[in-house]
Structures are given as C-alpha cells and as structure tokens.
Amino acid sequence: MDDRQLAEELRLTIGGLVRTVRAADTMPPGESAVLGYLDRGGPLTTAEIAQQRGVTHQSAAKTVKDLLARNLVRAEAHPGDGRKLLLHLTQAGRDRLTEERRRRADWLGAAIGTVLDADERRTLEAALLLLSRLSTHLHGK
C-alpha cells in the first residue's frame, strides 16, 4: 500500500471509529463540540466557535443559545470589544462534558478489552504515538 492509499484508509477508519463512538453520546454533537472547544481553548466568541467548527455564525449562535439556556456556558462582555460576548464554560458544562467523555471512553475501553488481545493492545498503544506525531505535524506545531 502506498502512502496515499494508507492515508485514505487511515482517514476512513478513524472517521468511522469517531462516528461509532459518538453513538454513545447523549447530547447533540454541536453542543459537545462547543463545550470541548471552551474546555480546551478557554473563553471564545460565537464567531470563533463558528470558525473552529466550520459552521455558519447562525448555527453556532443557536447552539450557544441552547447551552446558555441550560447554564452549560455563560457569557460576559468581551474586554476588547463591548459588542461581542465572550463565552465561558460553567461548572455544570464542565461536568456535562466530563460525563460525555467518560461515557465514550468506557464504551470504547470495553470494546478494546473485548476485541483486542494483549499483543494487539500494545500495537494500538504504539499506534497512538504515531497518530499523535501525525496530528502535531498536520497542525504545524
């Protein structure tokens, strides 16, 4: 298999795995994505969230409105531009995100324990380092 074929198989396999694991989620993907961005990157504006998610501002604003209504995020005036709101993850949002992540990890961990033998598990561990290196390179870091 050449590098291009390997890349395509990797993309398809990881994409399929991500979609399958998301089946364990109990909240819409857009909401968990926004909570994840705020958890990893700190406060963001709705426009920044839209850009990171690759969605329209209106789509991001609807998701943010739903999260605000459920007290999973809070908004405050942007210190550099009073016309904008800076969104923060609340403790309730952090707890909800932690629960989603735990559910995913439990579900995937159970599958790993059921499907993979000890040698395959070690191979998977080694592959994680390679995938991390690829991700770092692709992000330009």
Side-chain angles (χ1 to χ4, degrees), residues 8-117:
E8 182 61 10
E9 286 299 317
L10 178 63
R11 186 190 69 76
L12 290 171
T13 301
I14 290 176
L17 178 64
V18 167
R19 285 186 296 281
T20 301
V21 170
R22 283 187 182 149
D25 288 355
T26 59
M27 65 189 311
E31 290 183 8
S32 60
V34 170
L35 295 180
Y37 290 135
L38 294 174
D39 182 54
R40 289 185 301 275
L44 297 167
T45 65
T46 300
E48 290 167 332
I49 290 170
Q51 179 191 22
Q52 287 189 24
R53 288 205 59 227
V55 299
T56 64
H57 189 276
Q58 290 107 326
S59 177
K62 181 190 178 316
T63 300
V64 166
K65 181 181 175 185
D66 293 343
L67 293 170
L68 284 165
R70 294 197 337 262
N71 194 37
L72 299 177
V73 300
R74 69 177 173 79
E76 67 180 31
H78 192 288
D81 185 344
R83 299 168 296 171
K84 297 179 183 178
L85 292 176
L86 204 51
L87 302 164
H88 298 263
L89 188 62
T90 64
Q91 188 58 52
R94 185 169 281 106
D95 293 345
R96 185 72 174 89
L97 182 60
T98 298
E99 175 62 24
E100 283 297 300
R101 287 173 173 167
R102 184 202 55 77
R103 184 180 287 99
R104 288 177 187 172
D106 287 351
W107 198 49
L108 185 54
I112 289 169
T114 300
V115 174
L116 303 181
D117 64 29

